[in-house]
Amino acid sequence: AGALWFAFALLALAGLSAIPSNLALVGPGSSPLSTKWIELFSNAGASFQHLGLGVAAPADPWTWVLLLLGSLTFWAPSLGVAIFVFVARPLAFAGAWRFIGLFTDKAWVKNLASVAFALVPAFTVALAQADLTSVVVFVTLPWLAFTLARAAGWGDSPRSSTSVWTWVGASGLLMAIAAAASPSLGLALIVILGVVSVVRIKRFGY
């Protein structure tokens, strides 16, 4: 449907200066990660936080998202974050394209709506300011909508219950990532999940 060309065009919008290098992504909304992957892992699994005199508490769930991104290039964790931000627009476009494709077969509708989502001003500002949490939310949301819709039975019917559970599992992981990036959004997603469950009452068990 020509979507691949739109994805490449969105990637080109980032410009040569945004191509990841051996330098970490730095901006108002981000800073370099630990230089060693094992340090990221240790921080994510920490049960003692250095706040004041110290407190026994689990790590912020956001550190698990950082661990996931840093694992893309485990030899240089910060590079993984830079690569993710560089390809964020095409990833968001692809997610929106898949979601919209559940409800229409018209290529121009899917392409136009997906490009519009990828060029939302708030997303552009988040990328310009290296606001990593917002970028993660914008990339995650369309994919979450797609997997949740598939789990709810919209689009082509899954071939087996195993397929449905795959979509349920993917939805759970994406929802966890979105909630870790924005806890307030996580509460809203729970409400949306409840609405979907009522609308698709036959899928309530899933």
Side-chain angles (χ1 to χ4, degrees):
L4 192 60
W5 296 109
F6 285 97
F8 279 123
L10 290 170
L11 191 65
L13 282 178
L16 295 176
S17 61
I19 295 178
S21 65
N22 60 334
L23 299 177
L25 179 72
V26 178
S30 66
S31 58
L33 300 181
S34 301
T35 56
K36 297 180 180 179
W37 181 88
I38 192 64
E39 291 179 0
L40 277 181
F41 182 77
S42 298
N43 290 332
S47 59
F48 183 83
Q49 306 302 318
H50 299 283
L51 300 174
L53 298 177
V55 60
D60 185 334
W62 175 243
T63 58
W64 287 99
V65 179
L66 295 178
L67 174 64
L68 176 64
L69 295 176
S71 297
L72 295 175
T73 53
F74 59 89
W75 62 93
S78 293
L79 180 59
V81 175
I83 292 174
F84 170 76
V85 172
F86 180 64
V87 299
R89 276 197 202 275
L91 287 176
F93 167 84
W97 196 89
R98 293 298 301 274
F99 174 68
I100 297 168
L102 295 176
F103 306 98
T104 179
D105 292 327
K106 295 181 179 180
W108 70 270
V109 173
K110 292 189 287 185
N111 290 333
L112 183 61
S114 301
V115 168
F117 176 79
L119 295 178
V120 167
F123 192 14
T124 301
V125 171
L127 289 169
Q129 295 182 348
D131 185 354
L132 189 56
T133 55
S134 296
V135 172
V136 168
V137 166
F138 274 105
V139 172
T140 304
L141 280 182
W143 286 106
L144 174 57
F146 171 68
T147 57
L148 188 58
R150 296 296 283 119
W154 280 302
D156 295 333
S157 299
R159 296 180 180 180
S160 66
S161 61
T162 302
S163 299
V164 179
W165 282 116
T166 299
W167 294 120
V168 170
S171 298
L173 291 172
L174 290 169
M175 189 171 179
I177 291 173
S182 175
S184 58
L185 176 63
L187 295 176
L189 290 175
I190 291 175
V191 173
I192 292 173
L193 185 62
V195 173
V196 172
S197 299
V198 172
V199 172
R200 306 292 288 184
I201 194 67
K202 291 183 179 180
R203 297 274 179 161
F204 185 81
Y206 291 111

